[in-house]
Amino acid sequence: MLSLMRFAHLINVEFFDDLLVVLHSLIESGVLFALPLEAVTYLISVCCHFKGDVLNIDPMKFYTHLYKTLFKLHAGATNEGVEIVLQCLDVMLTKRRKQVSQQRALAFIKRLCTLALHVLPNSSIGILATNRILMHTFPKTDLLLDNESQGSGVFLPELEEPEYCNAQNTALWELHALRRHYHPIVQRFAAHLIAGAPSEGSEALKPELSRR
């Protein structure tokens, strides 16, 4: 796996379909969960190099695996792991925004907010900064700031498929808890997101924070 991570950009496209089949089988067997961060790093290499343009693949299994992997991060894990995951999210959600459905974006934003409650403050800041970018990238996700249901069904937080967890029927209550966080920058980011992540006004971030 480490070799694949390092040399993914050198693999001939003709062999990549077979490689993806093997990777999918490893995901389904659960083998990759023993190496979650390495697996995520490999996905970054795949997406950065090919970006879904060269290969005709359905990356849904990769998104599902990443969605599952998020809750493997916690306050006892290293911040390096959080950084890798956030880099992967940038590639798979922000840079591929035209291929990402609103349901998928809603599910990841919700799960990231929940994750921000379970990690160290500097990781929480990185996660909230990522959510800020996602809310700007997918403007309709601001419905998560409303406590009214937006559709049929009930939010299923335990479901491992981001497309089908009904994230539109939940709210980002975690932000209100984070607004009372002991770390002042976490508090500031949470208040900023609750206000809809404005670019100006009293709830806008200072320039040094908005560049995080």
Side-chain angles (χ1 to χ4, degrees):
M1 183 61 69
L2 294 175
S3 298
L4 288 175
M5 288 160 42
R6 182 171 299 176
F7 300 110
H9 63 289
L10 299 176
I11 299 174
N12 192 302
V13 176
E14 295 178 0
F15 301 108
F16 223 87
D17 280 331
D18 293 333
L19 183 59
L20 288 172
V21 170
V22 174
L23 185 58
H24 283 164
S25 66
L26 290 175
I27 290 174
E28 291 176 352
S29 67
V31 172
L32 288 186
F33 283 100
L35 297 168
L37 299 182
E38 288 83 351
V40 170
T41 307
Y42 177 64
L43 295 182
I44 294 173
S45 300
V46 173
C47 293
C48 283
H49 183 59
F50 293 100
K51 297 183 180 179
D53 298 328
V54 178
L55 296 171
N56 183 23
I57 61 171
D58 178 11
M60 184 59 196
K61 291 182 181 179
F62 293 146
Y63 284 95
T64 300
H65 178 68
L66 180 58
Y67 190 70
K68 295 177 185 178
T69 302
L70 288 178
F71 279 166
K72 290 184 175 291
L73 300 170
H74 50 78
T78 65
N79 287 321
E80 180 183 358
V82 175
E83 182 180 359
I84 291 172
V85 167
L86 295 182
Q87 289 173 358
C88 191
L89 286 168
D90 178 58
V91 172
M92 298 181 74
L93 295 177
T94 306
K95 293 181 179 177
R96 288 177 53 87
R97 55 187 174 274
K98 292 183 179 179
Q99 289 80 37
V100 176
S101 68
Q102 180 174 316
Q103 287 295 102
R104 191 178 302 175
L106 288 168
F108 272 97
I109 289 173
K110 173 62 177 178
R111 182 153 289 201
L112 283 171
C113 275
T114 304
L115 178 63
L117 294 171
H118 300 278
V119 294
L120 297 173
N122 48 353
S123 295
S124 293
I125 293 168
I127 290 169
L128 294 176
T130 297
N131 263 356
R132 176 178 182 267
I133 293 172
L134 292 176
M135 291 174 72
H136 286 165
T137 304
F138 303 95
K140 293 183 179 180
T141 56
D142 62 356
L143 61 85
L144 291 174
L145 301 174
D146 191 351
N147 59 5
E148 298 292 334
S149 295
Q150 300 294 324
S152 60
V154 177
F155 175 53
L156 303 172
E158 73 283 356
L159 194 67
E160 296 178 340
E161 298 287 346
E163 293 282 354
Y164 308 112
C165 67
N166 295 326
Q168 76 279 3
N169 291 318
T170 187
L172 300 180
W173 58 264
E174 297 90 347
L175 293 177
H176 294 276
L178 290 166
R179 190 167 59 174
R180 296 173 176 81
H181 198 279
Y182 67 87
H183 196 289
I185 298 181
V186 175
Q187 293 178 16
R188 189 73 192 90
F189 263 97
H192 172 68
L193 293 180
I194 289 172
S199 56
E200 56 185 19
S202 61
E203 294 298 340
L205 292 178
K206 294 180 179 179
E208 60 269 23
L209 293 180
S210 63
R211 290 193 294 268
R212 284 177 179 264

